[in-house]
Every structure is written in structure tokens, then in C-alpha cells.
């Protein structure tokens, strides 16, 4: 069923965007103990070469204490390509989030605890394609996604220029596609009604981060990560209005344990300015599917 496949891929990608956003941060501060960053982000999926998400991101943070920073972010789509001809996502509402970070030491050594949360909502138009003698019904609903994550890291300084930080964490994400009924017309005489679709996952996180400062201005970093779902609801798409329809599991072959990797670099243009490039690879909850994300960032401390 094209609608089920399109919804599955759309929900997985939106879940990926939310999960990645829980790692947003702003770390360059100056005399006013404030930081602002702007970024350009693109996320693409192996499930469909046409399925990608391009956004602009603004992050703001303050540092009320030398060991604590808190911040907000807004991730606004500039382009979100449709999933085939079945699913169209609007760009009128941004993803918004919050984070708080406590660091034991200014150089990121020792303990770091981070809590983050995000919520996003997308107006979604779903079109049922004509198959055989079926009608091309369509309707509109909303896809709401949210997540919360906590991580604990411990940094070890290696030969003054390197830093290794193993970490553990937990993440909870959920996605809700609202119920809807297709619009009736002269060409759609038997509009279908769809029940709401709910997915969620509680996920254990583990990994290790590496960074190396080649000189006072230039740093490379990378991480290797593993995540495993401890509890998951994959969602079911169920329609009524025509006899013989059966519910369809949105993800009948889930990948419970998955790998991801991050690599990037940043350059300190000035004492209070930094530019960075970041790439993220993630295995997705559906078998044999993955996503890639590229982010270009500019930080300024105030």
C-alpha cells in the first residue's frame, strides 16, 4: 500500500530530525555569557532519493553559571520534498526545543550531564493513488513528533590536545499522525476514514566521542554510537469505508539495535566566533534503511 509505505518513511525521517535535534548546542560565549548559532541542515533518506529535508536552524543559549548553560532552538524547514505522490508535508511550523548542560570543567573533561527536549508539528496531506478500480482519495491531518533525551558523559584529556568522552543515555520519542477522512467529490464516492497512528520508542544510548585540537583554532571530532530500543510501538494504519480492508503494520520488520556515526571539524575564526561542518550517519528503525545529515554552523559568543 503506497500510503502506508509513504507514511512509514515520512514518520521515520521526522523522528530522525527530532532525534538529531536533541544534540543541538551552543558553546561559544563571551563577556555577556550568551551564545547564538545559525546553521543550514539537510537530511536525506536511503528509503527514497526524493525524500529529504532542508532547514535553517537558530540556537540561542545563556551561561548563568560557569558550569551551566541553557538554551532554545528553532529548526525551520525551507524545503521538504514529498514522499512519492502520496505524502506532502508543509513547512509552515518549525521544530522547537530546549536544552540544559552541566559541565564539571571548562575544557569538557570530567562529567557532563545534558537534558534536551523537542516538539514539532507538520500539516500533512495524504493522497491515495489509483490502483486498479480504486479511487484517488485524499485528506489532510497533522504529524506531531516530540522527544526527550538525557546523556551523561565523562571526558578524559589525552596528551593535552585530545579528548575522549564515553557516554550513556536514554531517549524517548513519539510520533502521532492524526485521524482523518478523505474528502468526497464526484470522483471519490467512497472516501476512506483512517484511524490515528501512534509510534513511540524508548531507546538506550551508548558511544564514545573523540576530538583532537591540531592548533588553537582548528579541531577535528568524531563519534561512534550504538542505540537499542528497550520498548517500542511501531504503529498500525487502519482504514474503513470499503469492505475487505485490513490493518497494516507501519514497520513490520523493525531494527531494534542500530549504529550511527558523526564526524566533523570546527575553526575558531576569532575568540568569540566559530564555523563548523558536521556529518551524521544513522541506521534507521526500519531494516536496511539509513539517513545522512549534513550541517554547516556559525557560532558567535556575546
Amino acid at each position: 500500500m503506497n500510503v502506508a509505505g509513504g507514511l512509514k518513511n515520512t514518520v521515520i525521517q521526522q523522528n530522525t530530525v527530532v532525534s538529531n535535534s536533541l544534540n543541538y548546542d551552543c558553546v561559544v560565549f563571551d563577556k555577556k555569557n550568551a551564545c547564538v548559532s545559525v546553521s543550514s541542515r539537510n537530511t536525506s533518506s536511503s528509503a527514497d532519493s526524493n525524500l529529504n529535508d532542508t532547514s535553517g536552524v537558530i540556537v540561542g543559549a545563556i551561561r548563568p553559571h560557569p558550569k551551566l548553560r541553557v538554551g532554545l532552538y528553532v529548526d525551520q524547514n525551507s524545503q521538504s520534498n514529498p514522499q512519492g505522490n502520496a505524502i506532502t508535508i508543509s513547512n509552515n511550523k518549525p521544530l522547537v526545543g530546549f536544552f540544559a548542560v552541566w559541565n564539571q570543567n571548562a575544557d569538557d573533561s570530567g562529567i557532563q550531564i545534558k537534558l534536551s527536549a523537542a516538539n514539532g508539528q507538520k500539516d500533512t496531506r495524504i493522497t491515495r493513488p489509483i490502483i486498479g478500480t480504486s479511487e484517488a482519495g485524499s485528506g489532510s491531518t497533522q504529524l506531531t513528533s516530540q522527544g526527550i533525551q538525557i546523556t551523561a558523559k565523562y571526558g578524559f584529556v589525552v596528551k593535552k590536545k585530545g579528548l575522549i568522552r564515553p557516554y550513556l543515555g536514554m531517549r524517548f520519542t513519539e510520533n502521532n499522525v492524526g485521524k482523518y477522512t478523505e474528502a468526497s467529490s464526484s470522483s471519490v464516492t467512497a472516501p476512506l476514514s483512517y484511524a490515528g497512528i501512534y509510534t513511540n520508542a524508548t531507546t538506550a544510548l551508548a558511544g564514545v566521542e573523540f576530538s583532537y585540537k591540531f592548533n588553537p583554532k582548528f579541531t577535528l571530532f568524531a563519534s561512534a554510537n550504538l542505540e537499542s530500543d528497550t520498548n517500542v510501538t511501531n504503529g498500525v494504519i487502519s482504514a474503513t469505508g470499503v469492505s475487505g480492508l485490513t490493518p497494516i503494520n507501519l514497520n513490520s520488520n523493525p531494527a531494534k539495535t542500530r549504529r550511527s556515526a558523526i564526524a566533523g571539524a570546527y575553526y575558531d575564526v576569532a575568540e568569540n566566533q566559530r564555523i563548523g561542518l558536521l556529518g551524521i550517519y544513522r541506521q534507521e528503525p526500519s531494516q536496511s534503511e539509513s539517513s545522512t545529515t549534513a550541517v554547516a554552523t556559525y557560532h558567535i559568543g556575546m
Side-chain angles (χ1 to χ4, degrees), residues 61-85:
I62 59 172
R63 190 169 58 183
H65 185 276
K67 295 186 177 183
L68 176 67
R69 61 183 180 272
V70 295
L72 301 171
Y73 59 84
V74 176
D75 184 316
Q76 173 63 59
N77 284 130
S78 59
Q79 179 182 353
S80 184
N81 288 347
Q83 171 63 39
N85 295 317

Side-chain angles (χ1 to χ4, degrees), residues 5-296:
L7 277 173
K8 181 192 77 169
N9 293 335
T10 300
V11 168
I12 286 176
Q13 185 178 59
Q14 187 64 14
N15 192 76
T16 294
V17 170
V18 170
S19 297
N20 284 342
S21 81
L22 296 173
N23 297 312
Y24 287 163
D25 208 339
C26 205
V27 297
V28 179
F29 294 90
D30 207 349
K31 296 177 181 179
K32 295 181 180 180
N33 285 310
C35 174
V36 175
S37 76
V38 292
S39 305
S40 175
R41 174 188 61 77
N42 180 266
T43 299
S44 59
S45 170
S46 68
D48 189 323
S49 59
N50 293 318
L51 185 60
N52 66 74
D53 183 299
T54 302
S55 283
V57 183
I58 299 177
V59 184
I62 59 172
R63 190 169 58 183
H65 185 276
K67 295 186 177 183
L68 176 67
R69 61 183 180 272
V70 295
L72 301 171
Y73 59 84
V74 176
D75 184 316
Q76 173 63 59
N77 284 130
S78 59
Q79 179 182 353
S80 184
N81 288 347
Q83 171 63 39
N85 295 317
I87 314 295
T88 303
I89 301 294
S90 73
N91 299 322
N92 58 330
K93 295 179 181 178
L95 172 74
V96 296
F98 160 85
F99 61 88
V101 184
W102 183 86
N103 272 317
Q104 183 178 4
N105 300 309
D107 63 357
D108 287 335
S109 64
I111 300 171
Q112 182 195 86
I113 305 293
K114 181 176 182 180
L115 175 67
S116 51
N119 180 276
Q121 187 179 87
K122 298 294 183 185
D123 292 333
T124 306
R125 184 166 184 81
I126 303 169
T127 301
R128 175 168 51 96
I130 297 175
I131 300 176
T133 60
S134 68
E135 300 173 332
S138 65
S140 297
T141 184
Q142 291 182 329
L143 167 59
T144 302
S145 304
Q146 54 191 8
I148 185 168
Q149 177 175 291
I150 185 168
T151 56
K153 304 178 182 180
Y154 195 92
F156 300 90
V157 176
V158 180
K159 295 184 178 180
K160 295 184 180 182
K161 292 186 176 182
L163 185 70
I164 298 176
R165 294 203 296 179
Y167 75 88
L168 295 172
M170 294 294 295
R171 182 177 68 234
F172 175 78
T173 56
E174 63 178 11
N175 302 275
N176 196 337
V177 180
K179 62 182 181 180
Y180 71 98
T181 298
E182 296 173 343
S184 60
S185 67
S186 58
S187 60
V188 181
T189 58
L192 300 184
S193 294
Y194 290 83
I197 303 170
Y198 178 73
T199 73
N200 69 61
T202 302
T203 307
L205 313 172
V208 59
E209 301 176 346
F210 312 88
S211 65
Y212 187 81
K213 181 172 287 190
F214 282 87
N215 58 53
K217 291 182 175 293
F218 181 67
T219 300
L220 288 176
F221 60 89
S223 70
N225 317 287
L226 190 69
E227 57 185 55
S228 183
D229 294 332
T230 61
N231 185 58
V232 64
T233 300
N234 289 310
V236 173
I237 180 170
S238 178
T240 58
V242 175
S243 62
L245 297 176
T246 57
I248 299 175
N249 192 317
L250 206 62
N251 187 6
S252 59
N253 189 23
K256 177 182 177 181
T257 301
R258 304 172 296 275
R259 296 184 297 271
S260 66
I262 299 174
Y266 62 82
Y267 182 81
D268 291 332
V269 180
E271 187 174 341
N272 67 332
Q273 297 179 56
R274 174 177 292 178
I275 56 174
L277 293 173
L278 172 69
I280 306 170
Y281 168 83
R282 293 175 58 92
Q283 291 183 324
E284 295 298 350
S286 181
Q287 294 283 354
S288 303
E289 291 187 17
S290 61
S291 68
T292 55
T293 298
V295 184

